[in-house]
Amino acid sequence: MDGGSREQRVKFYTALYHALLHPNVFDDVNGDYRGYDGRLHQVERGRHHYVTYAGWDIYRSQAQLVALLFPKVGSDINQSLTDMARQTGTWPNWPHLNQSQQKMSGDSLQSVVASLDAFGSTDYDRRAALESMRSTQTLPADATLRRHAYQYATVGFVESRKGDSATSKTLEYAVDDFGIAQLAKRLGDEETYDRFMVRAQSWRHVFDDAGGHIRPRERTGFDRDFDLGERGNQFEQATGYQYGWMVPHNVGALIEKRGGTEAALRDLDEHTRELDAGVYGTKGAYLSNQPSFTMPFVYHWLGRPDRTGEVLRRAADEMYGTTPSGLPGNDDLGSLSSWYVWANIGLFPAIPGTADLMVSSPVFERVVVDSADSRRRITLDAPGAGRAPYVAALRVDGRATSKSWVSADFSREGGRLDLRMAPRPGAWGTGARDLPPSYADGTDARNNIGVTPDGHGNLGSLDLSDNSLSRERLAEAGAAPGAKLPLGDTGVVFTWPDTGPGEPDNWIPHGQRVPLGGRQATGISFLGLATNGPSQGTAVVEYTDGSTQSVPVGLTDWTPGTDHRFGNEPLVVTTGRNRAAGGSDTAQTKVFGTRPVALDPAKRVAAVVLPRGTDRGVMHVFDVALTDRPVAADGQDG
């Protein structure tokens, strides 16, 4: 390493030392170790068993640093975690020595495995690790240690009435599931990838489009009285403003939902006025605590990597020092230190579960990273970085690029980065094609399992009270998988989802796009219901010529008696809801077709975008259908 002041080098190497203290070796000189099951085990010759993981902390940058510097250690850590899962039958999120512990939010060690794997630490039983993740995190979710896992896995969010950091748990679980999906994709398991990418988009359920923020959500709507500037009982060691940027795997969609680039840039600039603002009565950042770690790199997705560099340099100068109090907070077994290391070398793994690296302005003029016991070397040259702190141009292995990130191939194989530095911000990294990737797979898929076989009510839930529709009783009422359901004489014919037990069969709307084939139509109708309802929202019809039309959607609660709202017509009526705990109740349930809304018959319908947000209850849409029969011009649903 070349360049930087003596103080900067002391801070850097001290942080590097701290970042590599944990996890730690637990096996004896002969390879024996006492496992989580209390039994004596032995590691393979030439390997080690690692213990003591700060799960909530390590996945955000520390695991990636270990894998980059010591890939064999990363593989041993992954094998150790796989052995832990085998010995315990589940995934403790904060194991200490050989004792299972649950602390903080999330199931982060699964993201740790995925991140280490992404950086090339693949010498472990990868398929056993993935199978353990898949089996423990799918319904009936009776082998998971995630709190409120059943509710999250069925309706996609933990309702705010649970307290217990309910809203941040939803965000953390989405990141964890993204990691599982990425590991599955690298192993060629498309089914698991698809399933967990749908769940990775669960953060959308707690984004309040009306207010433009991630916010606590109750079964009857968002809690808009909640003070996002207070720590409260909804966000783990953070405020809603701090967790409001923590969707690292789909930042592009987060920015869109926050109102677009200009609005998000204003919000982020305000947020970073204070970098260590704490958690009480503030809109500011809290970079001495883990939920804010990826926040500065959101600027990359906003086309302003220069501001990422400004925040990182401010943090290094204002928050870190060489005195005994030189760390701004609890290092949590090295996570603050690892963040500091990455921030100083001009690279950062901002998307856990992948090996994508953001490129920013380094503190040092030259950095060489040699991976131990590996041919991988990363060289970063930035002459004049101390005097000229902005990246003006970048060459990757000799080829010029304006992109502000490098892909996993570079991270795994190594290479050379040549940065031309400048005293002022320029155009580098600002173009639409320069932005880092956002992983949106799963966004438009059905995301709720509302139908369960009799006797297996724990394989789904339509509401937040663990009730579901009976597969057998639906079939008796004419709604077998793939069945056609006509809506009177309107010409609308719905198709009941042709799904198997345990497969998502309806959309809880958050703006999913449903293709409709480009056919001409006079009207559109929706098949669905509401729980804890009724529920209303606005869908958007997209025509093939690029024009759009807003369409109101309203659905009645599924146990309404005779109180049918919005002109809804009951199409499927059953008696008895399956219960997750077993058995069924005696409630009568109804699935409704909405009154057709008139469309422009001269245009072709490309797709419909389901409501981005709904009021009061939770909306469920099982199908969308068009008609070519006459529809009254004032036909509406709502």
Side-chain angles (χ1 to χ4, degrees):
M1 182 176 296
D2 297 326
S5 66
R6 181 183 184 280
E7 181 181 20
Q8 287 171 329
R9 295 168 72 86
V10 168
K11 287 193 292 184
F12 178 84
Y13 282 112
T14 302
L16 181 61
Y17 170 72
H18 288 161
L20 300 176
L21 289 174
H22 292 94
N24 55 276
V25 173
F26 196 60
D27 51 285
D28 210 336
V29 290
N30 63 351
D32 287 349
Y33 72 94
R34 187 74 61 180
Y36 297 86
D37 54 5
R39 299 177 180 175
L40 197 64
H41 298 268
Q42 189 170 61
V43 297
E44 294 180 18
R45 185 177 181 85
R47 307 195 70 151
H48 288 295
H49 182 78
Y50 284 85
V51 297
T52 308
Y53 300 89
W56 190 71
D57 313 274
I58 187 176
Y59 84 89
R60 303 173 197 266
S61 67
Q62 189 176 3
Q64 296 89 329
L65 183 63
V66 170
L68 180 64
L69 297 178
F70 298 97
K72 288 183 64 176
V73 172
S75 290
D76 281 358
I77 289 173
N78 271 358
Q79 187 61 55
S80 299
L81 291 173
T82 304
D83 291 339
M84 175 196 73
R86 183 180 292 117
Q87 292 165 17
T88 63
T90 189
W91 286 79
N93 72 359
W94 195 292
H96 176 62
L97 299 178
N98 58 356
Q99 301 297 307
S100 298
Q101 287 190 131
Q102 294 298 108
K103 291 184 180 181
M104 312 299 286
S105 300
D107 208 7
S108 307
L109 294 186
Q110 297 174 11
S111 185
V112 167
V113 171
S115 296
L116 290 165
D117 184 278
F119 272 86
S121 292
T122 58
D123 183 17
Y124 67 103
D125 195 340
R126 302 171 80 195
R127 295 200 174 276
L130 178 62
E131 172 57 26
S132 178
M133 296 176 193
R134 186 200 62 78
S135 63
T136 57
Q137 304 311 330
T138 52
L139 292 170
D142 52 8
T144 181
L145 295 178
R146 298 185 185 185
R147 288 179 60 81
H148 319 300
Y150 178 77
Q151 187 173 86
Y152 166 80
T154 53
V155 299
F157 66 97
V158 181
E159 61 179 331
S160 58
R161 70 172 60 184
K162 299 285 189 185
D164 194 29
S165 303
T167 308
S168 63
K169 275 185 167 62
T170 300
L171 300 174
E172 295 283 354
Y173 292 159
V175 174
D176 303 333
D177 287 340
F178 175 77
I180 295 172
Q182 295 306 301
L183 178 60
K185 187 173 185 178
R186 290 193 289 272
L187 290 174
D189 186 343
E190 291 297 325
E191 180 182 354
T192 300
Y193 172 77
D194 291 341
R195 178 186 304 175
F196 281 89
M197 279 304 294
V198 173
R199 287 171 42 165
Q201 309 304 338
S202 295
W203 64 273
R204 293 172 176 266
H205 289 304
V206 292
F207 191 96
D208 178 14
D209 285 88
H213 287 286
I214 285 170
R215 186 177 295 280
R217 184 176 181 180
E218 181 48 273
R219 59 184 62 186
T220 53
F222 285 96
D223 180 2
R224 295 185 177 126
D225 293 328
F226 183 87
D227 185 353
L228 292 175
E230 296 290 334
R231 176 176 175 175
N233 66 352
Q234 292 296 315
F235 297 96
E236 187 83 73
Q237 289 190 3
T239 69
Y241 291 114
Q242 292 153 10
Y243 256 108
W245 300 102
M246 210 205 81
V247 186
H249 52 288
N250 201 355
V251 177
L254 176 67
I255 289 170
E256 178 191 1
K257 290 179 81 67
R258 292 189 69 118
T261 298
E262 290 186 11
L265 185 60
R266 287 194 302 270
D267 288 347
L268 192 55
D269 283 346
E270 179 182 8
H271 186 63
T272 55
R273 284 198 182 103
E274 288 186 89
L275 297 185
D276 202 21
V279 292
Y280 298 108
T282 180
K283 290 187 176 182
Y286 190 22
L287 266 174
S288 62
N289 209 28
Q290 286 73 17
S292 288
F293 275 11
T294 59
M295 173 274 298
F297 300 92
V298 173
Y299 279 120
H300 273 58
W301 279 268
L302 293 170
R304 294 302 303 269
D306 57 302
R307 296 198 182 177
T308 300
E310 291 171 358
V311 170
L312 298 182
R313 289 191 295 274
R314 281 177 54 204
D317 292 340
E318 297 172 13
M319 298 170 56
Y320 291 81
T322 57
T323 69
S325 59
L327 277 173
N330 190 334
D331 205 15
D332 288 307
L333 307 186
S335 63
L336 278 179
S337 294
S338 66
W339 181 91
Y340 185 85
V341 169
W342 283 110
N344 275 254
I345 66 175
L347 299 170
F348 193 84
I351 311 174
T354 76
D356 300 330
L357 284 174
M358 308 302 108
V359 180
S360 61
S361 53
V363 169
F364 306 100
E365 295 193 354
R366 179 177 172 84
V367 176
V368 179
V369 179
D370 280 315
S371 297
D373 302 311
S374 168
R375 296 175 61 185
R376 176 173 57 191
R377 167 179 279 193
I378 293 176
T379 302
L380 188 150
D381 272 314
R387 305 182 308 276
Y390 295 99
V391 179
L394 170 66
R395 288 184 176 272
V396 179
D397 292 329
R399 292 188 175 185
T401 179
S402 57
K403 291 183 178 180
S404 62
W405 63 286
V406 291
S407 70
D409 289 341
F410 180 90
S411 305
R412 285 193 282 263
E413 297 170 9
R416 182 180 181 86
L417 302 175
D418 289 287
L419 283 67
R420 179 165 59 84
M421 308 303 293
R424 288 175 297 277
W428 177 80
T430 62
R433 296 184 177 182
D434 301 336
L435 311 183
S438 294
Y439 293 85
D441 282 1
T443 296
D444 295 327
R446 287 182 168 94
N447 57 3
N448 174 243
I449 304 169
V451 178
T452 61
D454 289 347
H456 299 280
N458 57 2
L459 293 182
S461 175
L462 198 62
D463 64 5
L464 288 100
S465 297
D466 304 345
N467 299 304
S468 56
L469 291 166
S470 162
R471 187 176 179 88
E472 290 78 7
R473 293 172 197 177
L474 284 170
E476 292 172 3
K484 301 299 183 181
L485 301 172
L487 180 61
D489 61 358
T490 65
V492 170
V493 179
F494 296 111
T495 302
W496 190 257
D498 189 6
T499 56
E503 296 178 357
D505 46 51
N506 70 89
W507 292 276
I508 296 179
H510 55 53
Q512 298 95 326
R513 186 177 187 272
V514 182
L516 291 176
R519 56 173 279 203
Q520 289 180 299
T522 57
I524 187 170
S525 185
F526 300 81
L527 178 70
L529 53 83
T531 57
N532 307 108
S535 184
Q536 299 181 81
T538 301
V540 176
V541 170
E542 297 179 346
Y543 294 109
T544 56
D545 65 0
S547 62
T548 61
Q549 177 184 336
S550 295
V551 176
V553 184
L555 286 165
T556 301
D557 187 90
W558 65 328
T559 58
T562 59
D563 183 18
H564 305 159
R565 306 289 183 92
F566 319 117
N568 288 176
E569 181 175 334
L571 293 187
V572 185
V573 180
T574 66
T575 299
R577 302 177 299 183
N578 287 342
R579 301 280 297 141
S584 62
D585 62 15
T586 59
Q588 185 185 72
T589 66
K590 296 181 179 181
V591 184
F592 299 92
T594 68
R595 180 188 303 160
V597 180
L599 302 178
D600 188 335
K603 296 183 178 182
R604 295 182 178 275
V605 181
V608 62
V609 178
L610 299 180
R612 288 177 173 267
T614 57
D615 73 339
R616 299 177 65 183
V618 178
M619 182 180 288
H620 298 259
V621 176
F622 287 88
D623 193 26
V624 184
L626 302 172
T627 181
D628 55 11
R629 295 186 186 177
V631 175
D634 62 348
Q636 61 178 356
D637 183 60

